[in-house]
């Protein structure tokens, strides 16, 4: 019998106080509602609960440009009229509005993801949950799709300090474009996204977008049509992820669980139930690889907490009752006050033939990946067992020059993470 996994959970009560503005579909309040449900189901007793320690501005520039991060730290609703050019340049204003406490909000949700990755690196946890994270659209110097700082990318960079290969899986209805773009030319990170495609934000994620140079075949995209249901999703998700685990063999996984792929989402057009969505989480967990679980999209306020609470229970191997416990937001869940909701009768526009053809196409792409070596790669020179990576670090230090701790740390950082991101 396997021992129970050690699960950590990051949450800051301040997260629910931030507000994108009247009528905006993104509501950080959903994370507070999720936490309240997790607490009232008693799930918190089985996890280590942490308030994330805020990361510095410098930490955010491991991926994002200095001027973009400086701008986010400077801009407020009161001074925004003085920054018209920068607002346009950094795509801040409409989908990604300026609101009170914007930079602190970015620090909060990002700190949980980086802090979670650090716990996995130190083998302090098997699974880490940060429902406030998963903002996967943000680019190096541009806000996009309600996302300002890309915590997914920053968490992966943290994991790359310790892990040779990291897998990113995205089940949000929108393509995980910001993460894919960041790692498009490296073979150390594989990105796999299942998303609605065709006249739909962000418009990227074609099946033929497979990566570039060293990263060729390391970006996997499964474009889907409206009405995707539980059975169809399971039939494509499990074979693709199973093959990925087989050929890529990651030593850490980041799973983005955007809840806008659920039936009845305000901005979505899939027809997944909570169980169908959570089946992906259950399957990824079954590989027993260190796992960082993040939130993401999700715009029907009463459904997002249901989804993420249920997925918390799945990660804890704990069954929860369908009747919701009384909680601070009980009235949101009427009239049935149940955890699971029925799906709609919308038509599934994904034919079995299309799903099968696309699945075969992606499995073929994955079969072109060079299998992960089972032994350490050596230089091939007789009488030496120095690996190429170690040799590179040795060379970076010079023959006679003693590296300072700061320089050594910088070389290590760049070797393991920084150079993996497109400039």
């Amino acid at each position: 019998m396997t021992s129970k996994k050690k699960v950590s959970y990051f949450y800051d009560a301040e997260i629910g106080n931030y507000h994108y503005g009247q009528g905006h579909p993104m509501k950080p309040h959903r994370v507070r509602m999720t936490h309240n449900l997790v607490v009232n189901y008693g799930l918190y007793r089985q996890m280590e609960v942490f308030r994330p320690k805020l990361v510095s501005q410098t930490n955010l520039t491991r991926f994002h440009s200095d001027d973009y991060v400086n701008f986010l730290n400077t801009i407020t609703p009161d001074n925004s009229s003085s920054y018209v050019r920068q607002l346009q340049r950094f795509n801040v204003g409409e989908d990604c509005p300026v609101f009170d406490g914007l930079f602190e909000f970015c620090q909060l949700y990002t700190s949980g993801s980086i802090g979670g990755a650090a716990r996995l690196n130190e083998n302090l946890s098997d699974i880490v949950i940060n429902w406030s994270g998963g903002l996967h659209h943000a680019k190096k110097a541009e806000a996009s799709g309600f996302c300002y700082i890309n915590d997914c990318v920053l968490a992966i960079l943290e994991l790359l300090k310790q892990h040779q290969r990291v897998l990113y899986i995205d089940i949000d209805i929108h393509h995980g474009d910001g993460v894919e773009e960041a790692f498009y030319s490296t073979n150390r990170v594989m990105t796999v996204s299942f998303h609605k495609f065709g006249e739909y934000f962000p418009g990227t994620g074609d099946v033929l977008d497979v990566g570039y140079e060293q990263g060729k075949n390391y970006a996997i995209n499964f474009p889907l049509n409206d009405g995707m249901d539980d059975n169809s999703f399971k039939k494509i998700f499990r074979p693709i992820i199973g093959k990925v685990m087989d050929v890529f063999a990651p030593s850490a996984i980041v799973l983005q669980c955007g809840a806008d792929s659920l039936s009845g989402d305000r901005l979505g057009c899939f027809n997944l139930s909570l169980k169908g969505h959570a089946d992906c989480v259950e399957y990824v967990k079954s590989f027993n690889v260190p796992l960082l679980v993040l939130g993401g999209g999700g715009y029907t306020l009463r459904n997002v907490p249901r989804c993420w609470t249920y997925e918390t229970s799945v990660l804890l191997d704990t069954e929860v009752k369908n009747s919701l416990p009384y909680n601070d937001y009980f009235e949101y869940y009427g009239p049935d006050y149940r955890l699971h909701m029925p799906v709609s009768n919308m038509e599934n526009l994904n034919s079995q033939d299309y799903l099968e053809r696309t699945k075969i196409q992606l499995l073929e792409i994955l079969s072109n990946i060079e299998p992960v070596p089972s032994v350490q790669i050596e230089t091939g020179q007789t009488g030496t067992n120095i690996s190429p990576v170690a040799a590179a670090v040795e060379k970076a230090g010079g023959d006679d020059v003693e590296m300072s701790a700061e320089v050594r740390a910088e070389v290590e950082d760049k070797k393991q993470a920084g150079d993996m991101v497109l400039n």
Side-chain angles (χ1 to χ4, degrees):
M1 186 177 168
T2 56
S3 59
K4 208 165 170 74
K5 291 184 173 66
K6 199 169 183 182
V7 181
S8 298
Y9 172 93
F10 280 79
Y11 174 74
D12 192 305
E14 290 295 312
I15 199 77
N17 294 334
Y18 297 96
H19 188 55
Y20 275 60
Q22 193 172 1
H24 199 289
M26 175 61 113
K27 302 189 187 304
H29 178 59
R30 68 208 175 123
V31 181
R32 180 156 53 194
M33 289 174 64
T34 301
H35 179 71
N36 204 261
L37 213 45
V38 164
V39 167
N40 282 285
Y41 263 121
L43 295 170
Y44 71 98
R45 295 190 189 98
Q46 300 175 53
M47 304 185 282
E48 289 183 297
V49 180
F50 296 97
R51 183 179 183 184
K53 182 184 176 186
L54 286 190
V55 294
S56 68
Q57 190 171 331
T58 310
N59 285 122
L60 305 182
T61 59
R62 292 199 68 213
F63 171 55
H64 294 284
S65 66
D66 290 0
D67 50 354
Y68 175 57
V69 174
N70 286 333
F71 167 76
L72 290 178
N73 195 17
T74 306
I75 196 78
T76 68
D78 295 331
N79 68 14
S80 59
S81 58
S82 307
Y83 291 92
V84 175
R85 283 184 64 192
Q86 288 96 325
L87 287 166
Q88 288 180 331
R89 177 186 165 198
F90 298 126
N91 195 35
V92 174
E94 290 186 18
D95 278 358
C96 304
V98 177
F99 57 85
D100 283 324
L102 170 59
F103 189 69
E104 290 77 17
F105 171 69
C106 294
Q107 278 182 301
L108 265 189
Y109 74 74
T110 304
S111 298
S113 299
I114 294 176
R119 282 193 71 77
L120 294 176
N121 280 351
E122 291 159 21
N123 294 319
L124 297 171
S125 307
D126 302 308
I127 297 170
V128 179
I129 302 168
N130 175 28
W131 293 127
S132 66
L135 277 72
H136 58 169
H137 294 306
K139 309 294 196 301
K140 186 183 178 79
E142 187 181 306
S144 177
F146 316 157
C147 309
Y148 304 87
I149 294 291
N150 199 318
D151 64 292
C152 309
V153 170
L154 290 164
I156 291 168
L157 289 176
E158 185 68 25
L159 289 168
L160 286 170
K161 290 178 179 179
Q162 207 61 38
H163 298 272
Q164 190 59 33
R165 291 175 305 282
V166 177
L167 170 62
Y168 172 77
I169 305 170
D170 195 313
I171 58 171
D172 193 291
I173 195 169
H174 301 97
H175 176 233
D177 58 335
V179 186
E180 179 184 278
E181 185 180 298
F183 300 107
Y184 206 59
S185 61
T186 176
N187 57 10
R188 285 188 63 197
V189 178
M190 179 175 280
T191 58
V192 185
S193 181
F194 300 82
H195 50 269
K196 157 79 175 158
F197 184 72
E199 293 184 14
Y200 199 72
F201 183 86
T204 50
D206 190 285
V207 69
L208 298 174
D209 297 337
V210 295
Y212 180 67
E213 289 186 342
Q214 276 191 310
K216 189 176 180 185
N217 300 329
Y218 287 84
I220 301 298
N221 287 298
F222 205 124
L224 298 162
N225 301 311
D226 292 13
M228 197 66 187
D229 59 32
D230 292 359
N231 192 36
S232 298
F233 209 92
K234 187 173 183 174
K235 278 182 179 174
I236 60 166
F237 185 85
R238 290 191 170 225
I240 296 293
I241 297 303
K243 179 74 170 176
V244 165
M245 295 302 292
D246 199 30
V247 298
F248 185 59
S251 54
I253 301 173
V254 176
L255 175 60
Q256 198 268 19
C257 298
D260 46 8
S261 42
L262 289 174
S263 180
D265 187 79
R266 180 177 166 186
L267 299 184
C269 53
F270 281 1
N271 201 21
L272 296 180
S273 72
L274 257 60
K275 287 184 177 174
H277 199 270
D279 182 72
C280 301
V281 178
E282 175 70 61
Y283 186 62
V284 172
K285 179 175 81 84
S286 71
F287 290 98
N288 297 316
V289 171
L291 176 61
L292 176 63
V293 181
L294 306 175
Y299 308 101
T300 299
L301 203 52
R302 65 185 178 275
N303 291 349
V304 179
R306 284 175 155 123
C307 177
W308 291 343
T309 301
Y310 180 61
E311 286 172 352
T312 303
S313 77
V314 166
L315 291 164
L316 290 167
D317 289 318
T318 301
E319 283 192 31
V320 288
K321 290 180 180 175
N322 193 26
S323 54
L324 290 171
Y326 187 76
N327 62 85
D328 292 352
Y329 308 102
F330 196 62
E331 68 279 4
Y332 281 76
Y333 305 107
D336 55 353
Y337 304 101
R338 297 192 175 278
L339 182 64
H340 295 278
M341 331 150 295
V343 294
S344 80
N345 61 354
M346 74 185 293
E347 184 187 354
N348 184 357
L349 299 180
N350 300 275
S351 69
Q352 290 307 307
D353 178 54
Y354 167 73
L355 294 175
E356 190 62 28
R357 270 188 293 111
T358 309
K359 182 182 79 176
I360 289 167
Q361 191 176 351
L362 290 174
L363 291 175
E364 210 166 286
I365 290 166
L366 286 166
S367 66
N368 291 329
I369 288 174
E370 197 176 316
V372 173
S374 56
V375 293
Q376 186 179 1
I377 301 170
E378 311 297 357
T379 58
Q381 295 172 16
T382 53
T384 179
N385 63 350
I386 298 175
S387 70
V389 170
V393 174
E394 198 173 83
K395 191 175 179 184
D399 293 326
D400 306 308
V401 182
E402 180 77 13
M403 274 196 284
S404 71
E406 290 83 357
V407 172
R408 189 180 296 278
E410 191 176 335
V411 168
E412 189 69 18
D413 242 11
K414 285 185 175 175
K415 172 188 67 126
Q416 294 183 328
D419 290 347
M420 294 298 107
V421 181
L422 287 174
N423 290 321

